[in-house]
Amino acid sequence: MTQTRYDSDDGQVRQPDATGGSVAARSCPECDGRVVEHEDRGEATCEECGLVLDEDAIDRGPEWRSFGDGDGDEKSRVGAPTTELMHDKGLSTNIGWRDADAYGEALSSRKRARMQRLRTWDERFRAKDARERNLKQAFGEIDRMASALDLSEPVRETAGALYRRAVEAELLPGRSIEGMATASLYAAARQHGAPRRVTEFAEVSRVRQKRVQRAYRYVKRELGLAIEPEDPAQYVPQFASELDVSDEAERLARELLDVAKGEAAHSGKSPAGLAAAAVYAAANLTNEKLTQAAVSSVADVSRVTIRDRYQELLDLYAAEG
């Protein structure tokens, strides 16, 4: 059975021939013979007289051959996407670390030493001035801290963009790179709604918590960041999972916080402290064994804070009921 093919480029109907080409529904202008298109050569020729009507046609297919089922999925015409976590946004190239030639053969000791020198100079030339060296160091810190905190890729990209904005606004003079990098990462986590306490960032940072907090307030004010206050309910799933409380207790903790927010009792209080107290109160109400010491260790808040917020939440919940 003969199959036809409709070509969307010129609107002509073509039929495959025995040579692997396709016969177009047009005739040769010299001898009125049939015109055959050879896609492998990018030509259109007359089958009777051999006249070449078209040549150098664009091949829109892949430029590789796949020999296995998964080979085609690993091929790509483009390189890595641009990223905010590199000082040049990933647009430059670098010399690979493998000491092998194009055929996979190992290089001699002399050529290996030469390649190492080339890599060193290439790395130096990629960061040409102090600004690029600053960005390179800061993005390395952001990536390290984000990996330690298991933050997502969008949070890291946002942190890189915030730090780049701070450099362009000349906010770095007089402040440490590590402090501003930590503040940018914390601000990015807040923008994405990631439930992380500032104490967690201080633990993986190279600067103290007070410096991180001051840098965060400075970056937020100078860059005009619109960051909403933290919702205590965002911490409930994290604390409930680490404390291994039941789903009923987690649901009840959310109810306690909803009542507190309805009465505006959460204003001016630590979101993590409120969430920890809500989980502790919910566990007690559902007759689950949970100590203040365990909650304090997980939430990184004092027992005094848990006791005070615990009583406030219970009073509000009783008044609401």
Side-chain angles (χ1 to χ4, degrees):
M1 180 177 179
T2 304
Q3 295 180 346
T4 60
R5 179 170 65 88
Y6 183 81
D7 195 314
S8 59
D9 290 339
D10 53 12
Q12 295 180 344
V13 178
R14 294 177 170 81
Q15 296 179 344
D17 70 340
T19 62
S22 60
V23 180
R26 57 173 175 162
S27 59
C28 175
E30 296 292 335
C31 64
D32 291 332
R34 293 188 305 173
V35 176
V36 180
E37 287 194 3
H38 302 276
E39 295 181 355
D40 56 340
R41 300 198 301 266
E43 295 179 348
T45 62
C46 175
E47 190 179 43
E48 303 296 333
C49 65
L51 177 67
V52 178
L53 282 77
D54 298 319
E55 60 181 349
D56 298 330
I58 298 176
D59 183 8
R60 292 181 170 83
E63 66 272 15
W64 61 77
R65 291 185 298 168
S66 299
F67 298 97
D69 294 337
D71 290 349
D73 298 335
E74 298 177 357
K75 304 293 184 179
S76 176
R77 285 191 174 90
V78 298
T82 57
T83 173
E84 292 288 346
L85 290 178
M86 298 184 69
H87 66 281
D88 53 7
K89 296 189 177 183
L91 297 176
S92 63
T93 58
N94 60 341
I95 301 175
W97 58 270
R98 297 182 181 275
D99 290 325
D101 58 15
Y103 300 99
E105 301 292 336
L107 300 177
S108 62
S109 59
R110 182 177 179 182
K111 289 185 177 179
R112 284 199 303 270
R114 181 181 181 185
M115 291 300 297
Q116 186 58 41
R117 288 196 300 271
L118 289 175
R119 292 190 190 99
T120 301
W121 281 107
D122 178 65
E123 189 69 18
R124 291 175 180 174
F125 281 124
R126 288 178 65 190
K128 299 184 292 296
D129 52 27
R131 178 179 179 274
E132 292 189 353
R133 288 192 295 270
N134 183 315
L135 291 174
K136 188 176 180 181
Q137 179 181 348
F139 293 156
E141 284 293 302
I142 290 174
D143 191 56
R144 179 188 64 81
M145 291 184 292
S147 298
L149 295 171
D150 195 22
L151 295 176
S152 62
E153 192 65 28
V155 175
R156 304 182 189 201
E157 292 287 336
T158 302
L162 290 177
Y163 188 88
R164 193 184 296 272
R165 286 180 57 190
V167 172
E168 293 173 353
E170 298 183 354
L171 304 183
L172 268 294
R175 291 169 177 82
S176 67
I177 295 176
E178 292 81 3
M180 295 294 286
T182 309
S184 299
L185 186 60
Y186 178 62
R190 289 283 302 272
Q191 285 186 327
H192 285 268
R196 290 291 192 278
R197 302 179 298 280
V198 67
T199 54
E200 298 183 52
F201 289 87
E203 289 175 358
V204 299
S205 178
R206 304 183 193 275
V207 296
R208 293 177 298 176
Q209 179 177 336
K210 289 185 178 179
R211 296 183 63 183
V212 174
Q213 292 173 321
R214 285 199 296 265
Y216 165 71
R217 290 193 293 266
Y218 179 67
V219 168
K220 180 182 177 181
R221 182 180 67 253
E222 295 298 325
L223 296 183
L225 302 180
I227 300 178
E228 297 181 358
E230 286 184 300
D231 186 357
Q234 291 180 331
Y235 291 98
V236 171
Q238 178 184 351
F239 295 164
S241 176
E242 295 184 22
L243 293 168
D244 196 24
V245 300
S246 64
D247 294 339
E248 182 183 0
E250 182 178 347
R251 179 188 58 78
L252 185 55
R254 292 180 180 275
E255 289 185 10
L256 291 170
L257 291 175
D258 288 340
V259 172
K261 288 187 290 185
E263 298 294 332
H266 67 297
S267 179
K269 297 181 176 65
S270 167
L274 274 174
V279 172
Y280 176 68
N284 286 341
L285 293 175
T286 55
N287 296 321
E288 299 181 32
K289 294 182 179 180
L290 190 63
T291 64
Q292 293 181 7
V295 179
S296 175
S297 176
V298 168
D300 196 19
V301 295
S302 67
R303 300 183 192 182
V304 176
T305 300
I306 294 176
R307 284 195 296 269
D308 292 344
R309 302 295 173 260
Y310 162 77
Q311 193 60 48
E312 291 176 7
L313 290 174
L314 289 183
D315 292 340
L316 291 171
Y317 191 68
E320 183 72 14

